[in-house]
């Protein structure tokens, strides 16, 4: 009977959870570096692309340049360095289809639980079918979470007093109605993050007027939508040669801005302020609306391509109000200052709800894994959780830089396990390494949920670096054995039909 059950349970060497930018990239690395491994991707939604398929609000775009948000193995060839959502989605789809990864994706499959058995050296994964409600199981030798970092079913919206009184529409950008008609309407966008600064100029042309209502300002930096250096380099070099050059140029530039911001915050504050002042009308209250109380890179900088936000302000199509909400009213929002903002549509660009590992429950040898008791290993595995890796990008650089390195590292670890004939790899904690919060980042959405995340450690390999050059060395060239316990004897695996 046991033998029959085992035959019926499908098994793969590597199970990737999530078909977003990271999951598709991970599959591509596996395909190229470990063609001997069987793999599948399970995706909870009915489409691939993750973030770039889910978000449909006007103007949806990256705020990183695509030379670093793109994969290392696939040159970004569009003219725009700051790309719009549909172009990024096309790029991810193309990556999946050109080598047949799309045929390896099972849609409407949400992984809800994964149980590791040391005796069998495998994970048993419980999957909920989001289309039929059915529950199924499969097993894998290695589990790879590419689940992103936030909840897909609900965005973050604070409790606004009087919300039920408002007679117009209230919309969260995560659930943008396809047919929303905002032409000529008065729109208030609550928020000051990347989504708010994207939405305001994108709606400004058609809406009657757009007001960005923020409680406190953010650093806003204008960058050219098309990178002039990239244009010049691509005129003389083929894509294959130009891409790595441009990628490194942008890594170096972003890293330098980050490091300068941390070391010389006063200097960078003043540079960012000058950048804004040059683009807003004479006499504009720059300090009220664009002078944050925190230092640059305590939170993510907001990038606006070719100053589009400032253009909308100059044209009088958009304005910024910095105040706190007293209450929603029938006609809009009353502010603490007593001012009332009238609105037909209120957009709550108030952020995301963080969610670790797509909400999967992890269990190791019958013991549930309580994430805050674990420590992140090289920011891609967890202490005492065997044969499990996750893709989590940088907060100060493009996500894909780290996701790509993580995939390379997973392939190297699997190579090592195959070479040495071991079945499992478990990051094992060092008693001398102190626990520290997972991220040193002051953004509200991070602070709200930090207690549900693993810890990081005070020393390598338990430190979470936000430093690409360092990670590159550690993950591409460094050992895969440090802090790792290997055990069990590797056996063959069956490839699904
Ligand atoms: C609006 C917006 C703009 C952004 N812009 C940038 C930017 O410019 N630069 C940058 O570096 N980062 C940006 N980010 C962060 C962005 O999410 C990453 O760049 C990148 O898209 C993450 O890819 P991912 O595949 O890791 O995660 P996601 O895109 O979130 O994809 C995860 C996938 O996993 C699936 N999944 C989750 N849980 C489960 C489960 N339990 N079972 C099965 N499937 C599951 C989801 O359905 C989803 O398809 C942005 C984020 C947002 C929301």
């Amino acid at each position: 009977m046991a033998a029959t059950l085992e035959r019926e349970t499908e098994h793969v060497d590597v199970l990737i959870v999530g078909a977003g930018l990271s999951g598709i990239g991970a599959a591509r690395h596996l395909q190229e570096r470990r063609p001997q491994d069987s793999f599948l991707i399970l995706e909870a939604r009915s489409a691939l692309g993750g973030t770039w398929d889910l978000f449909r609000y006007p103007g949806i775009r990256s705020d990183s340049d695509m030379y670093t948000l793109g994969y290392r193995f696939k040159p970004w060839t569009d003219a725009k360095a700051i790309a719009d959502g549909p172009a990024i989605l096309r790029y991810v789809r193309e990556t999946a289809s050109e080598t047949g990864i799309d045929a390896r994706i099972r849609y409407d499959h949400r992984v809800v639980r994964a149980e590791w058995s040391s005796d069998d050296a495998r994970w048993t994964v419980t999957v909920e079918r989001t289309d039929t409600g059915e529950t199924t199981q499969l097993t894998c030798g290695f589990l790879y979470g590419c689940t992103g970092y936030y909840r897909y079913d609900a965005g973050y919206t604070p409790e606004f007093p009087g919300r039920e009184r408002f007679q117009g529409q209230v919309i969260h950008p995560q659930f943008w109605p396809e047919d929303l008609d905002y032409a000529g309407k008065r729109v208030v966008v609550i928020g000051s993050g990347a989504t708010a600064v994207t939405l305001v100029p994108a709606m400004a042309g058609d809406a009657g007027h757009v007001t960005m209502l923020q409680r406190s300002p953010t650093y806003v930096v204008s960058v050219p939508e098309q990178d002039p250096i990239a244009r010049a380099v691509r005129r003389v070099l083929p894509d294959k040669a130009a891409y790595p050059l441009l990628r490194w140029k942008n890594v170096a530039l972003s890293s330098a801005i980050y490091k300068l911001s941390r070391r010389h915050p006063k200097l960078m504050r003043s540079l960012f302020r000058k950048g804004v002042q040059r683009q807003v009308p004479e006499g504009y209250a720059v300090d009220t609306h664009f002078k944050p109380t925190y230092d640059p890179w305590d939170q993510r900088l907001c990038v606006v391509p070719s100053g589009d936000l400032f253009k909308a302000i100059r044209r009088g199509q958009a304005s910024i109000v910095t105040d706190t909400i007293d209450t929603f009213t029938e006609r809009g929002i009353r502010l603490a200052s007593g001012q009332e903002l009238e609105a037909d549509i209120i957009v709550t660009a108030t952020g995301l709800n963080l969610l670790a590992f797509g909400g999967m429950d992890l269990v190791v040898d019958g013991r549930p894994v309580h994430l805050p008791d674990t420590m992140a290993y090289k920011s891609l595995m967890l202490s005492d959780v065997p044969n499990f890796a996750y893709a989590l990008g940088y907060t100060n650089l493009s996500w894909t830089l780290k996701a790509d390195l993580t995939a390379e590292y997973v392939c190297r670890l699997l190579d090592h396990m195959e070479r040495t004939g071991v079945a499992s790899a478990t990051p094992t904690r060092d008693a001398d390494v102190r626990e520290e919060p997972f991220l040193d980042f002051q953004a509200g959405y991070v602070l709200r949920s930090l207690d549900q995340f693993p810890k990081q450690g005070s020393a390598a390999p338990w430190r979470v670096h936000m430093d690409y050059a360092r990670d590159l060395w550690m993950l591409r060239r460094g050992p895969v054995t440090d802090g790792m316990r290997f055990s069990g004897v590797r056996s063959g695996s069956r490839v699904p039909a």
Side-chain angles (χ1 to χ4, degrees):
M1 179 65 185
T4 319
L5 263 182
E6 180 157 318
R7 234 186 348 263
E8 281 170 2
T9 309
E10 187 176 19
H11 179 82
V12 285
D13 295 318
V14 182
L15 183 69
I16 297 171
V17 186
L21 193 58
S22 304
I24 301 298
R28 190 67 178 259
H29 281 277
L30 264 179
Q31 255 187 344
E32 275 165 27
R33 307 249 328 228
R34 295 199 45 88
Q36 67 272 40
D37 284 344
S38 56
F39 75 89
L40 276 177
I41 306 180
L42 299 187
E43 169 53 55
R45 302 178 67 239
S46 46
L48 64 76
T51 299
W52 303 106
D53 184 68
L54 175 76
F55 280 85
R56 299 293 174 114
Y57 57 76
I60 169 75
R61 59 164 171 80
S62 68
D63 54 4
S64 319
D65 69 275
M66 288 306 296
Y67 302 111
T68 55
L69 190 59
Y71 303 112
R72 176 172 177 235
F73 55 80
K74 184 173 166 67
W76 175 260
T77 54
D78 269 26
K80 282 188 188 173
I82 302 290
D84 54 36
I88 302 174
L89 183 56
R90 275 198 302 279
Y91 173 82
V92 181
R93 281 189 183 144
E94 198 177 280
T95 309
S97 65
E98 64 197 5
T99 56
I101 290 168
D102 45 1
R104 294 267 168 223
I105 305 173
R106 300 229 173 119
Y107 293 105
D108 303 306
H109 281 57
R110 180 193 307 285
V111 175
V112 290
R113 190 176 169 85
E115 294 171 73
W116 171 260
S117 155
S118 291
D119 290 342
D120 304 330
R122 59 177 54 181
W123 288 96
T124 299
V125 173
T126 306
V127 179
E128 224 171 66
R129 291 290 302 261
T130 48
D131 49 352
T132 60
E134 206 187 326
T135 299
T136 58
Q137 284 196 329
L138 74 164
T139 61
C140 64
F142 198 96
L143 183 65
Y144 194 168
C146 295
T147 52
Y149 61 103
Y150 62 88
R151 274 176 65 170
Y152 270 65
D153 58 346
Y156 175 70
T157 313
E159 283 295 315
F160 292 119
R163 184 183 161 145
E164 66 296 339
R165 284 163 59 192
F166 180 59
Q167 300 295 306
Q169 267 177 294
V170 180
I171 290 160
H172 192 284
Q174 200 164 324
F175 306 98
W176 198 265
E178 216 175 304
D179 55 353
L180 182 74
D181 177 15
Y182 54 87
K185 300 208 171 137
R186 296 162 304 174
V187 180
V188 173
V189 178
I190 303 174
S192 59
T195 303
V197 303
T198 300
L199 267 169
V200 170
M203 298 178 80
D206 295 327
H209 187 82
V210 186
T211 306
M212 180 166 127
L213 170 60
Q214 58 179 13
R215 193 168 45 184
S216 54
T218 305
Y219 289 101
V220 180
V221 182
S222 175
V223 298
E225 193 173 32
Q226 294 195 19
D227 177 348
I229 299 178
R231 249 200 331 248
V233 171
R234 289 179 60 200
R235 262 203 295 269
V236 291
L237 288 179
D239 286 334
K240 266 219 147 100
Y243 187 59
L245 263 183
L246 295 170
R247 200 169 157 86
W248 269 111
K249 187 238 347 148
N250 286 1
V251 168
L253 188 67
S254 308
S255 303
I257 291 174
Y258 177 76
K259 283 183 184 150
L260 267 176
S261 299
R262 303 315 285 163
R263 283 183 203 148
H264 305 286
K266 258 197 180 149
L267 169 75
M268 294 310 280
R269 269 173 176 270
S270 125
L271 283 178
F272 291 143
R273 188 181 185 285
K274 281 193 185 121
V276 172
Q277 195 145 32
R278 268 198 301 273
Q279 305 211 45
V280 289
E282 256 315 288
Y284 190 83
V286 173
D287 288 341
T288 310
H289 303 309
F290 289 103
K291 186 180 171 192
T293 51
Y294 55 86
D295 281 336
W297 275 118
D298 278 350
Q299 301 186 23
R300 226 177 146 107
L301 303 183
C302 275
V303 165
V304 291
S306 306
D308 60 1
L309 175 70
F310 303 117
K311 268 182 215 148
I313 293 173
R314 284 201 304 274
R315 289 180 185 143
Q317 297 166 333
S319 49
I320 299 185
V321 172
T322 305
D323 205 331
T324 45
I325 295 173
D326 176 24
T327 180
F328 278 34
T329 63
E330 285 74 12
R331 288 176 305 157
I333 297 174
R334 195 169 60 234
L335 303 169
S337 62
Q339 185 188 353
E340 185 152 354
L341 295 175
E342 294 201 349
D344 304 303
I345 299 172
I346 295 175
V347 182
T348 55
T350 41
L352 306 164
N353 277 308
L354 292 199
L355 181 68
F357 311 132
M360 289 187 284
D361 288 329
L362 299 176
V363 178
V364 173
D365 290 328
R367 268 179 303 107
V369 174
H370 183 230
L371 290 180
D373 295 341
T374 63
M375 190 176 270
Y377 172 88
K378 297 181 181 174
S379 191
L380 49 73
M381 290 179 83
L382 291 178
S383 61
D384 298 322
V385 183
N387 292 20
F388 171 69
Y390 57 88
L392 193 69
Y394 295 118
T395 50
N396 61 345
L397 285 167
S398 283
W399 181 277
T400 320
L401 290 171
K402 180 65 189 278
D404 262 350
L405 283 180
T406 299
E408 286 184 45
Y409 185 86
V410 167
C411 292
R412 291 182 62 219
L413 179 63
L414 293 171
D415 286 347
H416 176 84
M417 291 167 72
E418 187 174 43
R419 243 187 347 260
T420 53
V422 296
S424 69
T426 314
T428 302
R429 270 173 87 156
D430 173 345
D432 292 337
V433 175
R434 269 192 334 274
E435 282 187 355
E436 291 184 7
F438 187 55
L439 289 176
D440 174 22
F441 200 56
Q442 303 306 313
Y445 67 97
V446 171
L447 296 177
R448 271 198 307 275
S449 319
L450 208 51
D451 58 342
Q452 297 157 32
F453 277 71
K455 302 285 189 302
Q456 67 164 310
S458 54
W462 306 96
R463 197 122 193 97
V464 174
H465 296 299
M466 292 292 160
D467 184 335
Y468 180 64
R470 217 163 161 165
D471 273 347
L472 183 78
W473 179 251
M474 178 173 72
L475 301 179
R476 192 177 290 162
R477 302 264 173 259
V480 293
T481 48
D482 51 335
M484 192 74 84
R485 181 165 47 82
F486 293 97
S487 52
V489 178
R490 191 184 160 85
S491 63
S493 63
R494 276 176 291 113
V495 179

